[in-house]
Amino acid sequence: MDKLAVLTIGQSPRVDAIPDIKDALGSEIQIVEFGILDRFSEEEAIESLYPSDGDRVLVSRLKSGRGIKMAEKKVHELVQETLTYIEEDGIDKILLLCTGKFPNYKYNGLLIMPYEITHGVVKILAKGKKIGIIVPNEEQVESSIKLWKETGMEVVAKSASPYEEELEKLENIANQFKDEDVLFIVLDCMGYSKDMKKIVQERSGKPVILSRTLIVRILKELF
């Protein structure tokens, strides 16, 4: 049976995300989960990775379901350490469970990083028109606009966490997009679920791209 390592920048298991991924990939692919924070307690992780002023922020999920906000530069170091461990374990395909922009890591197998795929597909579909973006944390809004601009996209960005029971906030954000002149909306985090996509579609009246399922459907072509 083919194996796929799924690497979260939080803690595993990702019970919120893996069922959607399994549904899309099918039963013939074995998923093995890893988390860069698995060796930390929750409090150790929160304390040691908390961002300072000026740090670019990444957001993920702890084993308990609690969200965690982290300094991007600290995350990069732990990602490389975990990739090395996975490679030594003999798995040659890895999905990084984050849509953030990451550097080129040392890894000899196939490393799927959603940032490049999502930005590439969205740019092709948008054809120069404005799109909407929803990210987990308000502190990510400014940097997300900048990153999409680097891709050549004009975006309207808003925030609502998939991890902090902010469904009411997500509904309100989706309602705000009703009056925005955007072609479609991207849920720009692997933490957003199919149920959250449905909420945003129904409330906004706009088409919605769910990063999680977009990436996995493309990934399936590699097996």
Side-chain angles (χ1 to χ4, degrees):
M1 179 181 287
D2 283 324
K3 285 185 178 181
L4 171 70
V6 176
L7 174 59
T8 175
I9 61 169
Q11 291 179 330
S12 66
R14 285 294 300 270
V15 296
D16 61 315
I18 295 300
D20 280 352
I21 294 173
K22 284 184 175 179
D23 284 347
L25 287 180
S27 59
E28 67 275 12
I29 299 168
Q30 180 185 352
I31 293 175
V32 186
E33 292 189 65
F34 298 87
I36 68 168
L37 304 181
D38 285 351
R39 62 186 172 90
F40 296 91
S41 71
E42 292 197 355
E43 295 307 322
E44 285 173 343
I46 291 168
E47 182 177 341
S48 59
L49 277 84
Y50 197 81
S52 302
D53 290 344
D55 284 339
R56 183 173 286 177
V57 173
L58 292 174
V59 175
S60 192
R61 183 185 190 273
L62 298 170
K63 189 178 295 185
S64 66
R66 186 178 178 186
I68 180 170
K69 185 168 68 172
M70 301 169 286
E72 183 185 75
K73 60 187 178 184
K74 296 178 181 179
V75 168
H76 291 330
E77 298 169 6
L78 292 172
V79 170
Q80 182 61 71
E81 288 178 16
T82 313
L83 287 173
T84 301
Y85 173 79
I86 295 171
E87 186 169 11
E88 291 171 351
D89 204 37
I91 302 176
D92 62 359
K93 296 184 184 72
I94 300 177
L95 169 62
L96 182 60
L97 201 66
C98 182
T99 60
K101 187 175 183 179
F102 290 84
N104 292 321
Y105 294 110
K106 294 180 181 179
Y107 176 70
N108 292 317
L110 179 64
L111 176 59
I112 299 98
M113 294 194 284
Y115 177 90
E116 289 89 350
I117 298 172
T118 303
H119 279 238
V121 170
V122 168
K123 184 176 181 179
I124 291 168
L125 292 175
K127 298 185 185 303
K129 295 181 181 178
K130 189 190 302 183
I131 62 166
I133 302 292
I134 301 179
V135 294
N137 192 280
E138 180 64 28
E139 292 178 57
Q140 295 176 301
V141 168
E142 185 176 344
S143 61
S144 294
I145 292 172
K146 181 180 178 181
L147 288 172
W148 282 99
K149 188 175 182 179
E150 289 176 3
T151 302
M153 301 290 303
E154 183 182 359
V155 303
V156 176
K158 303 179 187 292
S159 67
S161 175
Y163 305 121
E164 301 292 351
E165 298 183 356
E166 290 189 356
L167 283 184
E168 185 176 348
K169 183 175 181 181
L170 185 64
E171 291 172 353
N172 291 336
I173 291 295
N175 285 334
Q176 292 174 25
F177 269 114
K178 280 183 181 179
D179 299 322
E180 294 284 359
D181 182 23
V182 296
L183 186 61
F184 55 81
I185 299 167
V186 180
L187 294 179
D188 195 8
C189 173
M190 298 294 276
Y192 294 113
S193 67
K194 289 190 287 188
D195 288 341
M196 294 174 189
K197 172 182 176 176
K198 185 177 180 181
I199 288 171
V200 176
Q201 279 179 322
E202 291 177 349
R203 296 274 178 161
S204 69
K206 302 283 197 309
V208 176
I209 292 178
L210 179 62
S211 296
R212 179 188 296 180
T213 48
L214 169 66
I215 297 301
V216 175
R217 285 171 178 146
I218 293 173
L219 175 61
K220 190 171 182 181
E221 294 298 313
L222 298 169
F223 288 90

